[in-house]
Amino acid sequence: MIARAGAGPLRRLVVLRHAKSAWPEGVPDHRRPLAPRGRRDAPAAGRALVEADFLPDLALCSTAVRARQTWDLASAQWGTPPPVRHDERLYGADAAELLDVVHEVPAEVETLLLVGHNPGLEELVLGLAGDGLDDTLERVHVKFPTAAIAVLTWRGTGWEALLPGAALLTAVTVARGKKE
């Protein structure tokens, strides 16, 4: 299936899976922090977004500690981070629930960053992508690892018009920081 061309401005949905998390004993899932690798990879994700010119107008971030830390470290790589909304609905959300949240985004936002968790993010990317450039769809089908970034583009007058199969998956990157 090929992504349908729509009317309206070009919009981008940038999907960032939180960086690698730690599994400390006795810590509830929602409170798990980033692991050392995650603390290296999250800034690399921020740099990758700058280099690709995919900086958002608005960020929506899960309230889980590992997602919030990913956002903090990634956005610290930018001169002036955009507004962020921490939304508890993003924690544990499936693709349909994530899309419901995206549909609420104001029309003036042209590039939206969504920071959250699998399997919901992977399902969302695959569900929204009617087509992909190069091997992007295949790569997401194989794995959407921690600190992965997917960029979906589409045309529409507002976010409520974003429907399954309507976007083009234009980029997939897995951010990895260097060990010191």
Side-chain angles (χ1 to χ4, degrees):
M1 177 163 68
I2 295 178
R4 297 181 295 274
L10 182 66
R11 296 182 184 277
R12 288 187 298 206
L13 175 60
V14 180
V15 177
L16 171 59
R17 183 175 174 201
H18 66 77
K20 184 74 175 170
S21 60
W23 293 83
E25 192 174 325
V27 174
D29 185 71
H30 192 267
R31 299 197 55 211
R32 288 191 299 119
L34 291 179
R37 188 179 100 197
R39 288 192 297 274
R40 290 190 307 269
D41 293 349
R47 290 189 297 274
L49 291 173
V50 168
E51 290 165 9
D53 196 24
F54 291 145
L55 294 182
D57 302 313
L58 174 68
L60 300 177
C61 182
S62 164
T63 55
V65 169
R66 59 194 178 274
R68 292 173 72 102
Q69 289 177 333
T70 298
W71 160 254
D72 290 343
L73 291 167
S75 65
Q77 304 303 304
W78 312 335
T80 303
V84 61
R85 295 183 190 157
H86 294 94
D87 193 322
E88 64 189 20
R89 297 175 296 170
L90 301 179
Y91 175 71
D94 64 21
E97 293 165 324
L98 292 168
L99 188 55
D100 285 343
V101 174
V102 168
H103 282 164
E104 296 172 3
V105 171
E108 60 268 13
V109 173
E110 292 184 359
T111 299
L112 174 67
L113 174 64
L114 192 60
V115 183
H117 313 270
N118 259 2
L121 289 182
E122 181 177 330
E123 293 166 357
L124 180 69
V125 170
L126 293 173
L128 291 175
D131 204 354
L133 296 181
D134 302 321
D135 66 345
T136 54
L137 276 172
E138 180 182 324
R139 290 178 60 204
V140 175
H141 271 290
V142 170
K143 188 174 185 182
F144 195 63
T146 56
I149 302 165
V151 181
L152 296 146
T153 60
W154 64 288
R155 289 197 178 275
T157 55
W159 289 92
E160 71 283 350
L162 179 57
L163 300 173
L168 176 66
L169 183 58
T170 58
V172 175
T173 303
V174 178
R176 293 292 180 244
K178 295 179 183 177
K179 284 187 178 182
E180 295 181 10

